[in-house]
Amino acid sequence: EIDDDIAAAEASAGRGGFPRHAGGGGGGGGAAEESSSETDDDSSDEEWIDDDTPWEPYLNECLFDGFTSHSFEANFQYMQSTYSFYVPYKDYLVDPKGFFSYLQEKVCRYNQCLYCRKAFNSLEACQNHMLDKSHCKVNFEEGEGALELASFYDFDNATG
């Protein structure tokens, strides 16, 4: 039940459960720092990212706190109710799981904000930034954002 997922998340300790992508282990892993960890340096020399390794999405895992829902649909509802996450032009979205996988890779692999595209040195810093700045949303309004996500949409078959 979706309500059970939301109740469990509200009962858990705030931002404490960062995704499995953060350290390779299970979700959870202690309390996260509440202070913002963002820096002015948008790049990280500490960790090399192998772009040749295919991304393996966790479709039931929240982008913003690592909470795991019982289904992909419940995860979207959890993100919407908890963080006001909104998918623009949802009626024209033809590949919801591919869309989510792309967003998850952007956040969890590249530590990049969904809205302003700022890159961070860690997943925790990225998630804290998105929560602190109310950037738990997709930037579809600017040309670059729309082009970046266009392959997940089909506006050609729009009726109206």
Side-chain angles (χ1 to χ4, degrees):
E1 176 87 22
I2 293 170
D3 292 334
D4 293 338
D5 285 344
I6 294 170
E10 290 171 351
S12 69
R15 301 179 189 175
F18 287 97
R20 290 177 289 240
H21 295 99
E33 295 178 21
E34 285 293 323
S35 64
S36 178
S37 302
E38 61 183 275
T39 64
D40 291 332
D41 180 13
D42 288 351
S43 63
S44 173
D45 295 330
E46 297 176 19
E47 189 176 322
W48 177 72
I49 297 173
D50 181 8
D51 286 330
D52 294 332
T53 302
W55 177 250
E56 294 182 34
Y58 293 98
L59 299 176
N60 298 2
E61 190 172 276
C62 177
L63 298 171
F64 312 113
D65 65 8
F67 176 76
T68 302
S69 297
H70 74 277
S71 70
F72 173 65
E73 293 77 13
N75 185 31
F76 255 98
Q77 186 165 5
Y78 169 77
M79 291 189 300
Q80 181 179 17
S81 64
T82 306
Y83 299 106
S84 300
F85 181 66
Y86 171 74
V87 176
Y89 308 106
K90 191 174 182 178
D91 292 341
Y92 302 105
L93 188 64
V94 293
D95 184 7
K97 290 182 178 180
F99 178 78
F100 180 80
S101 176
Y102 178 80
L103 298 180
Q104 190 177 61
E105 182 176 22
K106 193 172 184 174
V107 172
C108 297
R109 186 179 206 174
Y110 298 109
N111 304 326
Q112 188 176 28
C113 175
L114 295 178
Y115 188 74
C116 70
R117 296 183 194 86
K118 183 174 180 177
F120 295 86
N121 290 325
S122 70
L123 173 60
E124 182 177 359
C126 179
Q127 289 173 322
N128 284 337
H129 163 84
M130 289 190 296
L131 294 172
D132 294 344
K133 302 289 184 184
S134 297
H135 283 185
C136 297
K137 54 190 171 186
V138 177
N139 187 347
F140 205 80
E141 300 307 315
E142 295 179 15
E144 191 174 318
L147 288 174
E148 175 183 6
L149 301 171
S151 65
F152 300 105
Y153 287 87
D154 181 7
F155 293 107
D156 292 335
N157 293 323
T159 59

